[in-house]
Amino acid sequence: KHGYKEIKTPQVVSRTLWEKSGHWDKFKDDMFTTESEKHDYAIKPMNCPCHVQVFNQGLKSYKDLPLRLAEYGTCYRYERSGELMGLMRVRSMQMNDAHIYCTTEQFADEFRAVNEMYLKYFKIFGFDKFSMRFSTHSAERLGDKYVGEPELWLQTEDMVRKVLVETGVDFVEVADEAAFYGPKIDVQVYSISGREFTIATNQVDFAVPKRFGLEFKTRDNTTETPLCIHRAPLGTHERFIAFLIEHYAGNFPLWLAPEQVRLLPFGDDQADYAEDVLAELRKHRVRVKTDTTSDKIGARIRRAETDRVHTILLIGQREQEAGKLAVREHGKGDLGARPRDEVIADLLNKIKTREG
């Protein structure tokens, strides 16, 4: 839909690639490294240099840009044991990561499109409170913390600033917090408890493309180095899930709940009816289970409530004979018995429209 090419790159990457990108000098202590046949390797902590290699396959023209490369995969970082914290700080992380290679003229539209993608995600998940933090470099730390390209720093920071102003997005500008290769946007969201999370990033990279000699032919048949936008709309999925758990306090809306529906047949006589309902819901990809344990129905209801199952469907003799389902919703209690087809249609509609 958005014009990305999905790719898959190796998990183990030669040290020479990390040295060339600059990541080895900055992050080698945060990498898992290994040696084979007298060569050093690292399990990749990020995808940037690998995507550069994909760009470098064949000559590129301005007609090939923007080139949007996306990879849904795993990265690994050596977090010390004392730094690990549940889903918030992990060593193996899943990311929907992408790099967009574009011309200077295309930059504003591409950067704006990424920000709009973020806003779309926030609307889907119901995040009403968020802010964007625009991190810039410090001139005093060029060549140390930041790549020593003063003109490119000022140029790209000005480009990002203009996009943010033009789109009317509220942002805070923070000096000396950029990535070593360029300015970045960090999106801060706030859970119901008021805790702040960095949930997404949108970064400009002018250093790595230049280090790897990335080039494309312009309309005038000259060569230029493309800009690179590095985006991860939901950050690492582990951290994002941790935020969702805190944000909803475990009480997920129906469409997002890990277990959307639980069926509770009163006894063995209702087992076949429950199995029919289970099969129909699963046919529509509803996340549903059946609790047929020997516990009394009250205990099974309490267990489902404790498990924060969104919707409980109770099936007794009366419901079975009438072709109905008794509905109980977490946090609302009993909602009464209704015809089976009506209950299922209502559940499917709420999931599709992300209501309830």
Side-chain angles (χ1 to χ4, degrees):
K1 181 179 179 180
H2 296 285
Y4 285 88
K5 294 183 178 180
E6 293 189 37
I7 62 174
K8 194 73 174 177
T9 58
Q11 298 289 297
V12 180
V13 180
S14 172
R15 170 179 174 170
T16 56
L17 198 67
W18 300 113
E19 288 178 331
K20 192 170 184 179
S21 69
H23 289 93
W24 189 266
D25 290 338
K26 300 289 183 181
F27 300 115
K28 65 177 179 291
D29 291 338
D30 298 320
M31 295 182 181
F32 287 103
T33 58
T34 187
E35 183 268 339
S36 177
E37 297 180 346
K38 299 182 180 179
H39 291 282
D40 292 328
Y41 297 87
I43 304 176
K44 65 177 181 181
M46 64 278 294
N47 293 311
C48 317
C50 299
H51 289 196
V52 165
Q53 297 296 87
V54 175
F55 181 97
N56 256 342
Q57 300 303 305
L59 299 174
K60 297 293 186 294
S61 158
Y62 69 93
K63 295 179 181 180
D64 299 314
L65 304 182
L67 178 61
R68 308 180 187 99
L69 302 177
E71 180 169 4
Y72 191 102
T74 310
C75 290
Y76 306 86
R77 296 180 186 174
Y78 176 47
E79 301 281 0
R80 276 58 176 176
S81 58
E83 297 171 336
L84 297 172
M85 186 176 69
L87 290 171
M88 294 296 294
R89 294 289 290 272
V90 296
R91 288 173 172 167
S92 171
M93 58 205 74
Q94 313 301 312
M95 286 191 292
N96 179 10
D97 196 20
H99 293 82
I100 303 168
Y101 300 94
C102 63
T103 67
T104 302
E105 293 75 23
Q106 295 166 336
F107 175 82
D109 287 340
E110 292 299 315
F111 200 84
R112 185 183 298 111
V114 171
N115 279 347
E116 289 172 353
M117 180 189 294
Y118 291 1
L119 297 177
K120 178 183 177 181
Y121 281 134
F122 297 163
K123 184 178 180 180
I124 288 173
F125 287 102
F127 301 162
D128 298 320
K129 188 178 180 182
F130 62 88
S131 62
M132 293 196 177
R133 186 171 64 199
F134 173 32
S135 299
T136 61
H137 79 299
S138 168
E140 290 76 21
R141 304 191 69 179
L142 287 172
D144 173 24
K145 183 178 179 181
Y146 305 110
V147 173
E149 297 280 358
E151 292 182 4
L152 280 173
W153 275 105
L154 295 176
Q155 178 190 9
T156 52
E157 286 174 354
D158 186 55
M159 292 165 69
V160 172
R161 193 179 292 110
K162 283 182 178 178
V163 171
L164 292 172
V165 171
E166 288 171 2
T167 53
V169 175
D170 291 331
F171 70 95
V172 176
E173 189 166 328
V174 183
D176 199 20
E177 289 292 337
F180 80 89
Y181 46 70
K184 65 174 180 173
I185 300 291
D186 286 321
V187 185
Q188 310 298 116
V189 294
Y190 302 85
S191 68
I192 289 175
S193 67
R195 199 148 74 103
E196 181 181 9
F197 289 74
T198 299
I199 213 69
T201 186
N202 190 5
Q203 304 176 358
V204 186
D205 185 351
F206 56 77
V208 173
K210 189 173 181 180
R211 288 187 179 203
F212 281 88
L214 300 195
E215 292 181 341
F216 67 93
K217 287 288 185 179
T218 68
R219 291 177 184 271
D220 302 324
N221 205 35
T222 58
T223 58
E224 288 185 11
T225 299
L227 289 173
C228 177
I229 298 171
H230 175 191
R231 66 111 181 112
L234 299 178
T236 69
H237 289 0
E238 290 80 5
R239 186 177 179 85
F240 185 69
I241 291 170
F243 170 77
L244 289 178
I245 292 171
E246 179 166 324
H247 182 66
Y248 290 111
N251 300 310
F252 293 102
L254 176 62
W255 72 274
L256 194 57
E259 186 179 345
Q260 295 169 315
V261 179
R262 187 175 296 180
L263 301 172
L264 302 185
F266 278 43
D268 293 340
D269 291 342
Q270 289 79 49
D272 290 342
Y273 185 77
E275 281 299 311
D276 288 343
V277 176
L278 179 76
E280 186 171 356
L281 289 172
R282 283 184 172 170
K283 181 177 69 176
H284 294 285
R285 304 180 70 83
V286 176
R287 296 184 288 276
V288 56
K289 295 180 181 179
T290 302
D291 184 350
T292 57
T293 58
S294 59
D295 296 331
K296 292 183 178 180
I297 193 66
R300 285 186 280 156
I301 291 173
R302 287 192 295 273
R303 181 160 57 237
E305 290 284 358
T306 301
D307 291 344
R308 291 180 166 83
V309 177
H310 186 279
T311 299
I312 304 168
L313 300 180
L314 297 145
I315 304 170
Q317 182 178 349
R318 284 182 299 177
E319 286 78 26
Q320 181 181 12
E321 292 174 350
K324 293 184 175 182
L325 295 167
V327 182
R328 182 182 179 92
E329 193 170 306
H330 182 68
K332 293 184 180 180
D334 292 321
L335 301 180
R338 292 156 53 204
R340 165 180 163 172
D341 290 346
E342 182 182 315
V343 171
I344 291 175
D346 185 49
L347 285 170
L348 296 179
N349 182 63
K350 285 182 177 179
I351 292 170
K352 182 178 179 180
T353 58
R354 301 190 182 96
E355 294 180 6

